Amino acid sequence: MSQRPDWKAYEDGTMPIDQQQALTAALRDDEQLRRDYLAYQEYVQVLRKSVMAEPVPVFDLLPAPRPAIRRPFVLAGAAAFAAAAIFFASQRPEPVPVVGPAFTTAPEIARFSTGDAEKAAEWVSSRTHLKSPVLAMKGRATLRAAAYGKDWGGYAFECQEGKILLRFAGQDQYSSCGTVTEGDLNFYESNGLGWRQGGISFHLGGDVGVPLKKYAVAIHRELSGVIPPSAANVRGVR
């Protein structure tokens, strides 16, 4: 690739789906690109560790022993020093907490082109530990492919407004996210919309202009009668 990819946008889901898909395909064939991606991930880890490990200054507020005759001056000096220490400590900016992605951003490993919802679910289930739901979206969107990564499965759809990608996994970090409401349903805001349903964590992203809430509601309602009630417990699911 002639220009270095925006790995941050690739990982946090803000990259357009067509660019994300092209970059994922390139990762499978380009060794130099994979090394660049790994270098980015290592840089992010080092940066996070350095922020979280930043030392907090500790001030020694105990005055040195002085002759009794000078004690009032020593105490006054110590009080002034303590006041100064408190002032400067209060002016020191707090480190910004580094929060990882609320939903898995592991790269796509493989993709299976299909318009059959049952075959898509079977294909993902056979390659992951997840119990993949059957999702047809009839009358709303057209299934184009199934896909999976190291710790997720998913389906790619095409709707009248563009492309959408649904991922599902066994865990999430949605508790740190804000929420939006659509009708009687609540969704987490995480570079798209996320929710928990039937023991599985879901994330929906799409092209700019795609009304994600509209499709998130449609998916939620369809899956209400599809996801197996015996799905394994999921970390982060209430």
Side-chain angles (χ1 to χ4, degrees), residues 59-63 71-89:
F59 300 97
D60 184 2
L61 302 182
L62 296 178
R71 183 162 301 181
F73 300 100
V74 170
L75 293 177
F81 183 73
I86 293 172
F87 172 78
F88 286 113

Side-chain angles (χ1 to χ4, degrees), residues 11 13 27 30 37 61 66 68 73 75 88 94-95 108 111 124 141 160 174 185 187 190 193 195 200 223 230-231:
E11 285 209 336
L27 278 170
D30 190 330
Y37 183 37
L61 302 182
R66 300 289 184 184
F73 300 100
L75 293 177
F88 286 113
E94 291 294 326
E108 183 177 302
R111 174 169 291 227
V124 173
Q160 62 181 0
Y174 287 148
L185 298 175
F187 298 99
S190 174
L193 295 179
W195 70 95
I200 302 177
L223 293 182
S230 59

Side-chain angles (χ1 to χ4, degrees), residues 13-159:
T14 57
M15 178 179 287
I17 286 183
D18 56 342
Q19 295 181 28
Q20 186 183 67
Q21 292 173 349
L23 184 53
T24 298
L27 278 170
R28 290 195 289 265
D29 303 323
D30 190 330
E31 179 63 29
Q32 181 61 40
L33 191 63
R34 286 196 295 271
R35 285 198 294 268
D36 187 67
Y37 183 37
L38 289 174
Y40 167 78
Q41 292 177 314
E42 291 175 1
Y43 166 75
V44 171
Q45 290 300 320
V46 170
L47 185 63
R48 288 177 179 172
K49 289 179 181 179
S50 66
V51 171
M52 299 308 292
E54 184 180 353
V56 177
V58 178
F59 300 97
D60 184 2
L61 302 182
L62 296 178
R66 300 289 184 184
I69 192 171
R70 299 187 63 183
R71 183 162 301 181
F73 300 100
V74 170
L75 293 177
F81 183 73
I86 293 172
F87 172 78
F88 286 113
S90 66
Q91 300 305 307
R92 179 178 178 272
E94 291 294 326
V96 178
V98 179
V99 180
F103 195 81
T104 175
T105 56
E108 183 177 302
I109 294 175
R111 174 169 291 227
F112 169 54
S113 296
T114 181
D116 188 311
E118 292 187 0
K119 288 183 178 179
E122 291 173 1
W123 186 84
V124 173
S125 294
S126 68
R127 286 159 175 77
T128 68
H129 66 285
L130 300 167
K131 293 188 177 181
S132 307
V134 176
L135 181 63
M137 292 285 283
K138 291 182 179 179
R140 297 184 178 89
T142 302
L143 176 64
R144 296 301 187 191
Y148 77 97
K150 183 181 69 173
D151 50 4
W152 60 270
Y155 306 131
F157 292 90
E158 191 167 337
C159 58

